[in-house]
Amino acid sequence: MEYILIFIAAVFVNNVVLAQFLGICPFLGVSKKVSTAAGMGAAVAFVLTIATLVTFLIQKYVLDAYGLGYMQTISFILIIAALVQLVEIILKKVSPSLYQALGVFLPLITTNCCILGVAILVIQKDYNLMQAIVYAVSTAIGFALALIIFAGIREQLEMTHIPKGLKGTPIALITAGLLAMAFMGFSGIV
């Protein structure tokens, strides 16, 4: 039951983008097409899950064991950067079209505060390894869900008449705010 609560809370109630405002850069930048958003969601999910697993183990068995807790942020950043390079190499070989579609936003996963934030939150919440993995996967699903929904809405907005002053970023920000308010409706669940 505990894992189900972690899942529901991470995906809906405390959505990393819409409630905690982490990962806004790719949320706004890669959300013009659903296909690109799905690819970015998958890439973030992979990096987020692996980064949380690796950073958890590094924290527990290296940093805590040797009293190097002050090195947490820098070591987590280096681990995340290495994992993003791995994802970039894999995407370039496996799906060149997705690699091209993600463009500059793929290296930006390195600086995506969502990934670093989740790695640090897992430690702060004092999760065990299984809880940490469930939380990371759930957060990644929540990120991808928000990104794909937002991309679908933006695709629909491209086909509608919008006043000239609201085209582009203004309507995207208004839509993101409304989507965040919609996810606030889940706040009484957990």
Side-chain angles (χ1 to χ4, degrees):
M1 187 65 171
E2 181 180 355
Y3 297 119
I4 294 171
L5 291 176
I6 290 172
F7 177 82
I8 292 171
V11 173
F12 299 111
V13 179
N14 296 320
N15 186 288
V16 73
V17 176
L18 301 173
Q20 297 177 11
F21 307 113
L22 296 173
I24 297 293
C25 180
F27 179 70
L28 293 174
V30 188
S31 59
K32 292 182 181 174
K33 289 185 175 181
V34 172
S35 59
T36 308
M40 179 59 120
V44 168
F46 177 75
V47 172
L48 184 61
T49 305
I50 300 300
T52 302
L53 174 67
V54 173
T55 55
F56 179 87
L57 295 173
I58 294 291
Q59 178 73 36
K60 295 296 180 192
Y61 297 108
V62 177
L63 299 179
D64 288 348
Y66 295 103
L68 299 171
Y70 60 91
M71 297 287 290
Q72 180 187 55
T73 304
I74 192 72
S75 60
F76 284 13
I77 289 171
L78 291 173
I79 291 166
I80 292 166
L83 289 171
V84 169
Q85 290 301 312
L86 177 69
V87 168
E88 194 169 356
I89 291 168
I90 291 170
L91 272 182
K92 198 172 191 178
K93 298 269 187 208
V94 174
S95 179
S97 60
L98 180 58
Y99 175 77
Q100 290 289 67
L102 292 175
V104 72
F105 294 102
L106 190 57
L108 284 178
I109 294 176
T110 305
T111 59
N112 187 347
C113 56
C114 167
I115 295 172
L116 180 61
V118 169
I120 292 172
L121 282 171
V122 161
I123 304 302
Q124 288 178 348
K125 292 181 181 214
D126 200 29
Y127 284 154
N128 62 37
L129 183 60
M130 192 62 191
Q131 290 170 326
I133 292 171
V134 169
Y135 182 73
V137 170
S138 303
T139 302
I141 291 170
F143 178 83
L145 177 69
L147 191 63
I148 292 168
I149 290 171
F150 189 55
I153 293 170
R154 286 185 77 177
E155 280 186 0
Q156 290 296 316
L157 286 173
E158 288 295 320
M159 295 186 283
T160 60
H161 175 69
I162 299 170
K164 189 175 182 178
L166 289 176
K167 286 193 179 213
T169 304
I171 196 67
L173 292 174
I174 291 168
T175 305
L178 291 172
L179 189 58
M181 287 173 52
F183 268 69
M184 284 176 58
F186 294 115
S187 63
I189 293 177
V190 178

